[in-house]
Every structure is written in C-alpha cells, then in structure tokens.
Amino acid sequence: PRIGEGDTGLNTGGMGAISPVGFANAAFMEKVETRIIKPTVEGLKKENIPYTGFIFIGLIKVGDDPFVIEYNVRMGDPETEVVIPRIKTDLADLLKATADGTLKQINLETHKEAAATVMMVSGGYPEAYQKGHAIHGLDAVEEAMVFHAGTQVDSKGAVVTSGGRVLAITALGSDFKECLRKAYKGVSEIQFQDAYYRTDIGFDL
C-alpha cells in the first residue's frame, strides 16, 4: 500500500484493493482456515474472551503459505469497499445476528462478481496536504460507487476535501480487469485540486 507506482515510496493506509484475489484458491484458503482462523477462534475460547464483532486478519503470502501481519477488531480500508459490495446477504441482518449470537443461523451469500476500488488522495499524502478543495464530477460517475473517506460539505453546500484519503471509487465486474476499467473510468470523471491516485492497482496480479 505504498504511495508510488510499482509499490514504491512511503507507506499509506491503502491505495486500492481487489476481491477476490486470484491466488486465494481453495488450497490456499484451506491453509488460512486451518492454520489461522480456527486457532484464532479457539484461542479466544481458551482465554475466555467473549469477542463479538469483526476480526480483520491481515495476511501475507510467502511462497504458498499464509502468514499473519496484523489483527484488527474492525474492517480494513480500502478492503471494506471491495468486501461489503460483494456480500449479497443483508448486512443489517448479519450485524444484528452477530449482536444476538445467532450468526450461525444465517447463510452468508456473496455475489459472483469481482470488485475493485481505487483511492483518490490529496496531493502530498501521506505527508502534509491541503484541505478544502472543491470536488467536481461526483454526479457523473455511473459505472462505479463512490465512497467518501475524507470529505465534508462546506458552508456553501459544496463537497470539499477534508483528509488525505479522499474518495474510494469501487466497481463490480466479471473479473478484476473489468472492475478496474470501470473504477478508473469513475476516477477520470472526478476532479479536485492536486488529486492523486495510483494507475497500477492490480499490477501484481
């Protein structure tokens, strides 16, 4: 998740994401479940931790094996913007069932389509950047979804930048290449001063 093309430069909170990723085949996911997910859940039980909510597990693939980089007790960004749109089951029902302890009664369904998101950030991010730049073209985006990350409405009712990571442009499609085409089309329709985004999301796939 570095700022520069080819994954170079300073680390960021993430410049894009794709779901699903091609290398996460059945054999790899079996390793994830048996080596990481199940031991994590069993560890919570063993420690008598009545955890309820998201467990976000950041993984890295080394050779053919998964390793944990981090755990978070929240969803990750911009991973959320490609995971949530692929969930077919009503998210409110999933959250309520999680709170009620009845999640095992729900059959989680997902859309077959892939999803990709591209982050538009303020020039200078992840170091110093300016705020308050007007954002134009939001209504022109038709083939993608626009998630607001660092925006606000100013006193005149205009949407302006208010953070380093400004917008996440997400699209669905038959494969990640179609998703990226749609997402980048959405990016091209949005303008704000000093806007920056990586043009090579998915290059490593």
Side-chain angles (χ1 to χ4, degrees), residues 2-196:
R2 295 180 182 272
I3 192 67
E5 306 285 305
D7 215 23
T8 58
L10 296 173
N11 276 322
T12 73
M15 294 297 290
I18 291 170
S19 175
V21 287
F23 63 77
N25 55 27
F28 184 79
M29 293 307 295
E30 174 65 22
K31 292 178 181 177
V32 172
E33 182 173 348
T34 57
R35 299 181 188 180
I36 297 169
I37 297 176
K38 286 183 176 178
T40 298
V41 173
E42 291 302 318
L44 289 170
K45 291 180 180 178
K46 184 177 180 180
E47 297 291 333
N48 294 315
I49 300 174
Y51 184 81
T52 301
F54 286 107
I55 298 181
F56 180 91
I57 307 174
L59 302 177
I60 187 171
K61 181 175 180 283
V62 180
D64 291 323
D65 296 314
F67 291 89
V68 176
I69 295 178
E70 64 176 353
Y71 283 101
N72 273 313
V73 293
R74 56 162 174 76
M75 287 288 283
D77 176 42
E79 296 88 349
T80 304
E81 287 88 336
V82 292
V83 172
I84 297 298
R86 294 191 62 228
I87 297 177
K88 192 173 183 179
T89 307
D90 191 305
L91 181 62
D93 290 342
L94 290 170
L95 295 176
K96 186 176 186 303
T98 301
D100 294 342
T102 59
L103 191 59
K104 63 182 178 182
Q105 298 175 16
I106 293 185
N107 179 31
L108 176 63
E109 295 183 273
T110 59
H111 293 289
K112 293 181 179 179
E113 292 93 341
T117 193
V118 177
M119 292 296 307
M120 298 185 72
V121 305
S122 297
Y125 172 83
E127 296 185 298
Y129 54 85
Q130 294 183 344
K131 301 178 182 180
H133 295 312
I135 302 172
H136 305 284
L138 293 171
D139 293 338
V141 180
E142 295 182 349
E143 292 189 281
M145 297 169 277
V146 179
F147 293 98
H148 291 240
T151 68
Q152 66 182 25
V153 177
D154 68 10
S155 59
K156 298 179 181 179
V159 179
V160 300
T161 64
S162 65
R165 293 147 54 73
V166 180
L167 300 167
I169 316 302
T170 300
L172 297 172
S174 58
D175 57 33
F176 79 89
K177 292 181 180 179
E178 181 184 5
C179 299
L180 285 170
R181 178 188 64 78
K182 291 180 178 179
Y184 277 118
K185 183 174 184 293
V187 168
S188 71
E189 292 164 334
I190 299 172
Q191 304 86 37
F192 57 88
Q193 185 176 325
D194 298 328
Y196 174 79

